[in-house]
Amino acid sequence: TKYRRSKAVLPIRKCIRDDIRGMRDDGMTYRQIAQDLRRRKHKISASTVRRLIINKGLRAPRRPYAPRSVPVALHPTVKRLVDKLYEEESTRTTNEIIELVEEHTGVKVTLDVVANIREELELNHYRVRYGHSVRIVNQLIRMVYCERMLDSGEQYLTHVFTDETYIQLGKNARTCFVKSRHDATHPAPKHVPKV
């Protein structure tokens, strides 16, 4: 139940199914087929491609959403609150959202209600990516350096890789709920406090 499809995935027509089978007959892997379809603006995963090829079809859509645990008058308020909470911190767990909703509104919601609200808000489940965080002081210096290297034709063809292991205490979120894949990248300092 963690993974949700956007509404754009559901209307897969027979011709796309035929395209998928044709691509598979041409020797393409499930992942290659999914990448090709994503280039054509169809949001589809490799596992969905596999399901379609072996005739299982798409998963059944959820039943119409009518929560009993949230009063009808409070539903828009709860929905806005959940959206705001995920905008502030996209790596919050469902249990954290339930506790915060109860703290702010006094309404005890269930896991399914939060999952349905996420689906209504079109929040997708992604693995968190951490990008290098550059201090504001160094951003301009780095940009000037990069532009100078690009102008000089530097391609950085020599790379050095190291194998270092960290032990980290505390929360290290692996997943988040965001509206676009771009928002799943969080800034992280280069040298974080780790052992």
Side-chain angles (χ1 to χ4, degrees), residues 16-85:
I16 294 176
R17 237 177 241 245
D18 294 339
D19 286 349
I20 290 172
R21 288 198 180 106
M23 287 185 240
R24 185 65 177 166
D25 291 341
D26 291 340
M28 292 176 74
T29 64
Y30 299 136
R31 183 173 288 180
Q32 290 169 335
I33 294 169
Q35 288 171 347
D36 189 70
L37 289 173
R38 281 195 292 268
R39 273 187 242 121
R40 297 189 213 171
K41 306 295 182 206
H42 295 287
K43 190 171 181 184
I44 190 167
S45 67
S47 60
T48 303
V49 168
R50 180 180 177 276
R51 239 186 348 268
L52 291 170
I53 288 173
I54 60 175
N55 289 325
K56 285 188 177 176
L58 292 171
R59 292 185 185 138
R62 285 182 166 271
R63 292 188 326 236
Y65 173 54
R68 290 186 210 130
S69 61
V70 180
V72 177
L74 278 178
H75 179 65
T77 307
V78 171
K79 189 174 169 182
R80 279 193 305 274
L81 177 61
V82 169
D83 192 23
K84 184 180 134 212
L85 291 171

Side-chain angles (χ1 to χ4, degrees), residues 29-143:
T29 64
Y30 299 136
R31 183 173 288 180
Q32 290 169 335
I33 294 169
Q35 288 171 347
D36 189 70
L37 289 173
R38 281 195 292 268
R39 273 187 242 121
R40 297 189 213 171
K41 306 295 182 206
H42 295 287
K43 190 171 181 184
I44 190 167
S45 67
S47 60
T48 303
V49 168
R50 180 180 177 276
R51 239 186 348 268
L52 291 170
I53 288 173
I54 60 175
N55 289 325
K56 285 188 177 176
L58 292 171
R59 292 185 185 138
R62 285 182 166 271
R63 292 188 326 236
Y65 173 54
R68 290 186 210 130
S69 61
V70 180
V72 177
L74 278 178
H75 179 65
T77 307
V78 171
K79 189 174 169 182
R80 279 193 305 274
L81 177 61
V82 169
D83 192 23
K84 184 180 134 212
L85 291 171
Y86 275 123
E87 278 182 17
E88 290 172 359
E89 179 58 53
S90 63
T91 59
R92 284 195 165 112
T93 63
T94 306
N95 288 330
E96 289 174 346
I97 294 292
I98 289 170
E99 289 171 9
L100 289 168
V101 166
E102 186 174 10
E103 184 181 306
H104 284 77
T105 63
V107 176
K108 177 82 172 160
V109 295
T110 63
L111 295 168
D112 288 335
V113 170
V114 175
N116 280 307
I117 288 174
R118 279 196 303 250
E119 190 172 339
E120 282 182 4
L121 294 170
E122 296 180 3
L123 294 172
N124 297 308
H125 181 261
Y126 293 112
R127 289 184 65 96
V128 175
R129 292 180 172 182
Y130 290 99
H132 180 63
S133 176
V134 181
R135 292 187 316 157
I136 294 173
V137 176
N138 295 328
Q139 286 179 358
L140 181 61
I141 298 167
R142 295 262 179 109
M143 189 179 74

